Amino acid sequence: MKTIRIIPRLDIKGPNLVKGIHLEGLRVLGKPSDFAKYYYEQGADELMFMDVVASLYERNSLHDIISETAKKIFIPITVGGGLRSISDIKEVLRVGADKVCLNTAAIKNPQLIRDASRMFGSSTIVVAIEAIKESEGKYLAYTDNGREYTGIDVFEWAQKVDELGAGEIVITSVDREGTGQGFDIDLITKIRSLVSIPVIAHGGAGKSQDIVNLLKQESADAIMVSSLFHYHFIKENESKASTLEGNVEFLKQKRNFHTFEPSSINDSKKLLIENNIKVRF
Amino acid sequence: MGNIDKKKVVIIDYKLGNLFSVKQACDTVGMNAIISSDKTDVLNADALILPGVGAFLEAMTNLKQLGLAEAIIEKVNNNTPLFGVCLGLQLLFSESEEFGAGKGLDLISGVIKKFPDNLENRKIMVPHIAWNTIYKFEQNWSEVPLIDLKNDDFMYFIHSYYVKPSDNECILTKTNYDGIEFCSAVTKNNIFATQFHPEKSAAKGISIYKNWAIINNLL
């Protein structure tokens, strides 16, 4: 049996770690480096940094976060958000990313996937697909954190991404993202049946059991989680939770927590092992 | 103590992939390492690291164009320690089965093969991107940089090709990916090389850099 990777996802806005619901309504949670260090120590298998605003003038703070992290954290780091060209990719790899994650630019110009995977190796190029359910069995791909409609069928796009030479796909259920209602197992299982590259499932994990439910059916090669682990970190480290942008009251109320049973990576992995799912421990 | 006294390690830059993490691992364990594409630096090095991400053919083409292929062969034959990582391990072998890829540095005899896309009617996801276990094969680990590791420790893998050495004697570790067993680390004389990425394999991976430096008196 294969070993499944558990990948905490850190959404970044400027210097801050943020979290939204359905990829929107972002709240500041704290300093990315505090969360990254904690996840590394807790046995995260990789880290994903996503620049959710990705405006050009803020790019430098993302670069600082990556290079600071890569100096102390010896697990793979994937960076996404706003990467539009070969030179953008080169730049984030140069400051310490191991892989890059493309979405908007790849949909606008699919050739970028082919060019980038030839130049940097397939295994360096991850493509994110943001899926919104249209009707039963029908999903459309969106870009810009679920904001921009493309009209592209998710399943056709996933196959094309594979053919173009990407090394991995992150499939996000925008409908489930940030809600804690569990993964969209149908969506993820179908994507994985259609492609030959590893599939990372994202969006909806509210408790560790949700991860077990997905992986029992061998529906994914890795899972990406944010709220579930972030809320655990905040509970454990209240003093490190943000005081930067006035969301302290929100954090104290833990308003977002009610649909979640926050868990550490360690505890999530224990539950997976109890359910005969292989993880690094 | 300044860097002047320390032996010089050259991380060979053949213009593919990310060398940042390899350099960080070297710095963390206290090696005096520089990144260079300069043939003269390679020829003057006390030890070499051949990292690598990307395509075999492009890597060999770049190594030849930069005059580095000859320099690496000369150094290895003169007993300079060399540490190969991922594609850097594959480049040490004789040739790749990848279409049009051709010859490698041929310092170790064997071929490079691609993972099949299915096995016994089961789909195999390629690339192999996972933390996976390494286990002992012909050699024991007491005198190699794996000395602090236990059988079945996890290392980070990310690759579509693997090596098949002609001679089992060089095989240090094996790994099983979804039913396919392959060679995941080798040693031959002054060469040590891993298919996995020790610099991305947390504390246990960093111990491999540390022990390689200690064994070769680089600290």
Side-chain angles (χ1 to χ4, degrees):
Chain A
M1 195 195 187
K2 292 181 55 168
T3 317
I4 302 295
R5 287 168 288 150
I6 308 291
I7 308 172
R9 166 170 163 144
L10 295 94
D11 287 341
I12 307 295
K13 182 186 175 189
N16 297 319
L17 177 76
V18 296
K19 188 68 199 91
I21 297 175
H22 308 307
L23 301 174
E24 288 192 322
L26 304 174
R27 305 279 186 172
V28 173
L29 298 187
K31 256 180 78 182
S33 57
D34 291 336
F35 285 77
K37 181 168 173 285
Y38 183 71
Y39 294 147
Y40 176 59
E41 287 163 358
Q42 280 269 318
D45 295 317
E46 298 186 16
L47 293 177
M48 159 75 111
F49 288 93
M50 185 60 78
D51 185 351
V52 289
V53 181
S55 52
L56 224 44
Y57 67 94
E58 277 183 336
R59 185 49 58 76
N60 284 337
S61 65
L62 180 73
H63 288 174
D64 292 345
I65 292 166
I66 302 163
S67 57
E68 191 192 340
T69 308
K71 275 178 191 154
K72 287 175 250 159
I73 286 179
F74 298 103
I75 52 173
I77 296 169
T78 304
V79 175
L83 303 174
R84 299 189 200 289
S85 63
I86 293 288
S87 67
D88 288 347
I89 295 171
K90 223 176 237 175
E91 187 59 20
V92 291
L93 293 176
R94 194 187 62 78
V95 297
D98 299 290
K99 302 189 255 187
V100 295
C101 185
L102 306 174
N103 176 14
T104 308
I107 284 191
K108 284 189 182 146
N109 171 24
Q111 188 62 29
L112 180 64
I113 300 174
R114 175 159 284 154
D115 294 344
S117 54
R118 282 213 180 127
M119 181 165 266
F120 305 105
S122 279
S123 55
T124 307
I125 309 303
V126 183
V127 173
I129 301 178
E130 292 167 2
I132 294 182
K133 196 170 184 172
E134 186 80 352
S135 56
E136 204 48 52
K138 173 89 177 157
Y139 294 82
L140 295 180
Y142 281 68
T143 61
D144 298 282
N145 297 303
R147 288 188 297 269
E148 296 293 325
Y149 175 85
T150 66
I152 294 171
D153 179 83
V154 160
F155 302 117
E156 286 171 19
W157 176 231
Q159 287 172 288
K160 192 159 181 209
V161 163
D162 182 359
E163 283 163 24
L164 286 166
E168 285 174 282
I169 288 174
V170 178
I171 177 73
T172 300
S173 161
V174 177
D175 304 304
R176 301 291 178 96
E177 204 281 331
T179 66
Q181 293 168 349
F183 289 99
D184 186 335
I185 297 179
D186 293 343
L187 167 69
I188 295 158
T189 308
K190 178 140 187 216
I191 293 277
R192 192 165 187 271
S193 74
L194 291 171
V195 300
S196 59
I197 54 178
V199 172
I200 303 170
H202 174 232
K207 50 187 182 301
S208 298
Q209 186 62 41
D210 292 335
I211 306 175
V212 173
N213 294 346
L214 173 74
L215 295 177
K216 260 196 216 154
Q217 324 200 15
E218 291 196 41
S219 294
D221 302 275
I223 57 120
M224 190 171 282
V225 171
S226 42
S227 310
L228 179 66
F229 298 150
H230 292 347
Y231 295 154
H232 172 81
F233 174 88
I234 291 169
K235 267 176 42 182
E236 296 290 303
N237 302 275
E238 302 234 14
S239 65
K240 284 185 182 158
S242 171
T243 49
L244 290 175
E245 282 196 3
N247 275 314
V248 190
E249 286 311 311
F250 163 81
L251 287 171
K252 279 184 185 157
Q253 291 164 18
K254 302 189 180 70
R255 278 216 323 258
N256 259 9
F257 288 20
H258 65 280
T259 50
F260 289 87
E261 292 171 28
S263 165
S264 69
I265 294 173
N266 227 334
D267 288 343
S268 292
K269 282 192 169 183
K270 276 184 199 155
L271 188 70
L272 291 173
I273 290 168
E274 282 168 23
N275 284 274
N276 296 316
I277 294 161
K278 195 174 161 192
V279 288
R280 171 178 74 114
F281 201 75
Chain B
M1 199 169 80
N3 279 344
I4 308 143
D5 308 323
K6 273 191 193 166
K7 294 208 177 150
K8 193 190 253 177
V9 179
V10 172
I11 301 165
I12 301 167
D13 179 8
Y14 48 92
K15 307 300 176 192
L16 285 182
N18 164 27
L19 308 182
F20 186 95
S21 52
V22 172
K23 171 83 164 93
Q24 288 307 322
C26 291
D27 291 352
T28 300
V29 304
M31 280 189 253
N32 172 25
I34 60 157
I35 296 171
S36 175
S37 324
D38 187 339
K39 187 181 169 178
T40 316
D41 285 337
V42 170
L43 289 170
N44 290 329
D46 294 304
L48 297 172
I49 297 178
L50 186 61
V53 177
F56 186 91
L57 176 62
E58 221 174 339
M60 275 312 296
T61 306
N62 291 5
L63 283 174
K64 283 180 196 157
Q65 275 173 2
L66 294 160
L68 296 171
E70 278 176 17
I72 294 166
I73 293 167
E74 184 184 325
K75 291 294 278 183
V76 169
N77 289 335
N78 288 332
N79 232 14
T80 304
L82 180 137
F83 182 178
V85 179
C86 195
L87 182 61
L89 170 145
Q90 298 178 5
L91 292 168
L92 303 172
F93 279 78
S94 315
E95 61 185 319
S96 176
E97 286 186 350
E98 186 181 346
F99 177 75
K103 300 268 178 219
L105 295 168
D106 202 17
L107 290 161
I108 303 176
S109 170
V111 295
I112 297 131
K113 300 170 82 75
K114 190 169 188 184
F115 282 116
D117 52 13
N118 69 80
L119 182 72
E120 293 152 4
N121 293 323
R122 221 163 19 85
K123 187 159 72 169
I124 305 290
M125 297 308 212
V126 180
H128 171 217
I129 306 180
W131 288 78
N132 206 336
T133 54
I134 57 170
Y135 46 88
K136 290 187 176 124
F137 189 59
E138 295 267 310
Q139 300 219 14
N140 81 40
W141 297 349
S142 60
E143 285 170 20
V144 296
L146 307 174
I147 184 166
D148 286 343
L149 269 55
K150 298 189 301 290
N151 227 18
D152 289 333
D153 268 341
F154 282 96
M155 291 286 138
Y156 184 77
F157 287 83
I158 179 161
H159 60 126
S160 301
Y161 292 82
Y162 63 96
V163 293
K164 196 169 183 300
S166 316
D167 186 354
N168 276 347
E169 239 176 64
C170 70
I171 301 175
L172 268 177
T173 72
K174 284 205 167 191
T175 295
N176 190 314
Y177 177 49
D178 218 359
I180 303 154
E181 190 181 57
F182 65 94
C183 162
S184 50
V186 296
T187 185
K188 187 187 172 188
N189 305 323
N190 43 322
I191 295 172
F192 169 75
T194 62
Q195 180 59 66
F196 49 88
H197 286 268
E199 70 283 357
K200 287 288 148 191
S201 299
K204 283 179 178 165
I206 299 305
S207 84
I208 296 175
Y209 277 87
K210 187 195 73 192
N211 287 317
W212 181 71
I214 291 171
I215 288 167
N216 294 297
N217 291 314
L218 302 171
L219 297 180

